[in-house]
Amino acid sequence: MNVKIEPSWHKQLKDEFEKDYFKSLVQFVKQEYRTHTCLPKGPDIFNAMNYTPFDQVKAVIMGQDPYPTPGHAHGLCFSVQEHVQPLPPSLINIFKEIQQDLGQSFPENGSLVRWAKQGVLLLNAVLTVRAGQPRSHQGKGWETFTNQIIKKISENKENVVFLLWGGDAKRKKVLINPQKHLILESGHPSPLSANRGYWFGNKHFSKTNNFLQSKGLEKIIW
């Protein structure tokens, strides 16, 4: 599968790799990739960390699990590969909120690599999935692993913005020290949540930038 993780993250997480739950998770994932079509591709599983080294993290956006449609997922939550059209509904609603909040026009494609390279960790709670079967890799150990990622950021960094969208993401709040970081919560950008009034108008993108700039950090070009 040729799975690699960026060195600064490996340093932070090396103890996790030796734990029994993670060894069991690795065996499960290898078996799944051997016997089913799974997403994202093996080399992309840790892309959230590979695009955003630990020392560069300024903001964290939590997703659930990868898009189950082949060709969409590439290891960054909510992001799709550049060729994907039409865009997933949740991503469209994210761009609509940015448009309302910051007055920016829609981007040319749905790849969020540009965010990741600016320090936005685009982390799913579960990093793999069977094609066509959402949440099929839940409860196998990924949640324990990604919880540790949140804890490491909370404990070892300061002035990070955590954007928690929807119930699954909000449950990560207990892992974050609110004295050191900014926590922003809202409904999920999915149509079901957004159309009920739980997403639009949260102004999370301007709030993130205002906080970062107040701490002497560069804003995100969303």
Side-chain angles (χ1 to χ4, degrees):
M1 289 171 59
N2 190 30
V3 177
K4 295 180 180 179
I5 191 167
E6 191 273 335
S8 68
W9 279 107
H10 189 276
K11 181 179 178 181
Q12 291 290 328
L13 298 167
K14 59 185 178 183
D15 290 345
E16 295 303 303
F17 300 139
E18 301 304 319
K19 294 180 178 178
D20 289 342
Y21 88 86
F22 193 84
K23 292 178 180 179
S24 297
L25 172 62
V26 169
Q27 293 307 311
F28 167 77
V29 171
K30 285 182 176 179
Q31 178 66 14
E32 284 286 290
Y33 273 70
R34 276 196 298 266
T35 57
H36 298 87
T37 299
C38 294
L39 308 168
K41 294 179 180 178
D44 292 341
I45 290 173
F46 290 133
N47 266 357
M49 283 75 78
N50 293 338
Y51 277 115
T52 313
F54 183 81
D55 296 340
Q56 297 177 21
V57 174
K58 294 195 290 188
V60 179
I61 296 176
M62 289 295 306
Q64 295 172 353
D65 60 353
Y67 292 120
T69 304
H72 283 205
H74 63 132
L76 305 176
C77 73
F78 294 107
S79 179
V80 291
Q81 298 187 65
E82 290 186 359
H83 67 273
V84 173
Q85 290 291 339
L87 300 180
S90 292
L91 187 55
I92 290 174
N93 284 339
I94 289 170
F95 291 152
K96 283 182 178 178
E97 176 58 25
I98 292 172
Q99 189 175 43
Q100 292 177 16
D101 186 13
L102 301 174
Q104 292 180 196
S105 57
F106 265 53
E108 294 180 357
N109 60 68
S111 172
L112 303 181
V113 168
R114 64 188 182 281
W115 294 4
K117 289 183 175 180
Q118 295 178 78
V120 182
L121 183 69
L122 297 164
L123 182 67
N124 278 313
V126 176
L127 300 187
T128 57
V129 69
R130 278 192 197 179
Q133 298 184 42
R135 299 186 177 236
S136 50
H137 287 183
Q138 281 193 326
K140 303 299 182 181
W142 278 129
E143 295 91 340
T144 302
F145 180 69
T146 54
N147 281 354
Q148 288 301 314
I149 292 174
I150 299 300
K151 286 182 181 179
K152 293 289 186 183
I153 296 170
S154 178
E155 292 169 1
N156 299 321
K157 294 184 69 69
E158 294 182 352
N159 302 325
V160 173
V161 184
F162 290 85
L163 298 93
L164 308 181
W165 300 339
D168 286 359
K170 288 177 184 178
R171 282 189 279 275
K172 306 294 187 186
K173 184 176 180 178
V174 297
L175 306 172
I176 304 163
N177 183 346
Q179 307 304 317
K180 297 172 62 181
H181 307 286
L182 177 64
I183 301 172
L184 299 175
E185 301 178 69
S186 83
H188 195 274
S190 67
L192 181 63
S193 175
N195 292 339
R196 290 178 175 174
Y198 300 138
W199 166 254
F200 291 115
N202 65 37
K203 298 188 180 298
H204 278 191
F205 304 97
S206 60
K207 288 176 180 177
T208 295
N209 281 346
N210 290 340
F211 176 82
L212 292 174
Q213 290 181 302
S214 77
K215 301 300 181 181
L217 301 169
E218 285 191 25
K219 67 179 184 180
I220 306 296
I221 307 300
W222 299 106

